[in-house]
Amino acid sequence: MFNDENETDNYMTPSYVWDLMIPFIPKEKQIWECFYGDGYAGKYLTSNGFDVIHDDIDFFENDCGEIIISNCPFSKKREVFTRLKQLNKPFIIISSAVILSHVWFQKLFKNEIGIIIPNHRLKYKPLISDNDKLFTAPPTWFFCHKIDKVKNNIIFL
């Protein structure tokens, strides 16, 4: 669903970005793709054999699935990661690389975070657009918590 609070939160994740993440997602866990956007992410992950909960519900008021996989609204990073810490579930969240420089993030996940760094800048699709042109974002990485294939390591793709 379109969120007009902050336009920068309305960029959807194309399939090639999900494809980078898929090898790290445990197949046996039920995924909660908690930020609905245009609904594509849940359909794409389901088409790749995952059991996915992907409903247009409030992340801050609900708790679904066994693992959280999503591209969070960048304007709400602090609130999202604070909620993730409270839920204490495994997650892979796409977020801006700059998050590592925030003291609040360091305090939340000191020695508990793994990072997957793509070998190029990722591109995203504006939710409302007249064409299929992708937007090149500032560096975005995959932040992982309790993901066996990542542990607390940095993985360069």
Side-chain angles (χ1 to χ4, degrees), residues 32-72:
W32 181 23
E33 208 300 28
C34 55
F35 295 104
Y36 193 77
D38 62 0
Y40 175 77
K43 292 174 188 168
Y44 189 74
L45 291 169
T46 299
S47 74
N48 277 275
F50 294 99
D51 179 13
V52 182
I53 298 170
H54 191 63
D55 300 316
D56 196 2
I57 59 176
D58 188 333
F59 167 71
F60 299 100
E61 300 293 326
N62 294 279
D63 180 1
C64 303
E66 299 170 273
I67 182 171
I68 298 170
I69 308 291
S70 198
N71 181 354
C72 76

Side-chain angles (χ1 to χ4, degrees), residues 8-110:
T8 62
D9 290 345
N10 293 299
Y11 285 84
M12 304 299 104
T13 309
S15 55
Y16 89 92
V17 175
W18 293 116
D19 289 342
L20 295 173
M21 190 186 300
I22 283 174
F24 300 96
I25 303 172
K27 280 277 194 188
E28 70 282 357
K29 300 226 184 251
Q30 184 182 51
I31 294 171
W32 181 23
E33 208 300 28
C34 55
F35 295 104
Y36 193 77
D38 62 0
Y40 175 77
K43 292 174 188 168
Y44 189 74
L45 291 169
T46 299
S47 74
N48 277 275
F50 294 99
D51 179 13
V52 182
I53 298 170
H54 191 63
D55 300 316
D56 196 2
I57 59 176
D58 188 333
F59 167 71
F60 299 100
E61 300 293 326
N62 294 279
D63 180 1
C64 303
E66 299 170 273
I67 182 171
I68 298 170
I69 308 291
S70 198
N71 181 354
C72 76
F74 284 15
S75 73
K76 298 184 184 306
K77 290 186 299 269
R78 185 176 190 159
E79 295 90 340
V80 168
F81 280 96
T82 299
R83 173 80 171 136
L84 288 166
K85 182 67 173 186
Q86 292 168 347
L87 292 172
N88 197 30
K89 292 182 180 188
F91 67 74
I92 303 175
I93 297 291
I94 300 169
S95 191
S96 58
V98 72
I99 199 170
L100 285 176
S101 67
H102 295 288
V103 172
W104 62 262
F105 184 81
Q106 295 168 13
K107 286 181 180 178
L108 276 175
F109 291 104
K110 185 176 184 172

Side-chain angles (χ1 to χ4, degrees), residues 108-125:
L108 276 175
F109 291 104
K110 185 176 184 172
N111 301 321
E112 296 180 39
I113 203 81
I115 304 168
I116 302 168
I117 302 175
N119 63 2
H120 59 284
R121 297 254 309 256
L122 302 178
K123 296 182 180 190
Y124 300 90
K125 184 181 182 320

Side-chain angles (χ1 to χ4, degrees), residues 10-12 14 123-127 129 131-135:
N10 293 299
Y11 285 84
M12 304 299 104
K123 296 182 180 190
Y124 300 90
K125 184 181 182 320
L127 180 58
S129 176
N131 59 50
D132 288 333
K133 185 175 180 182
L134 298 178
F135 166 77

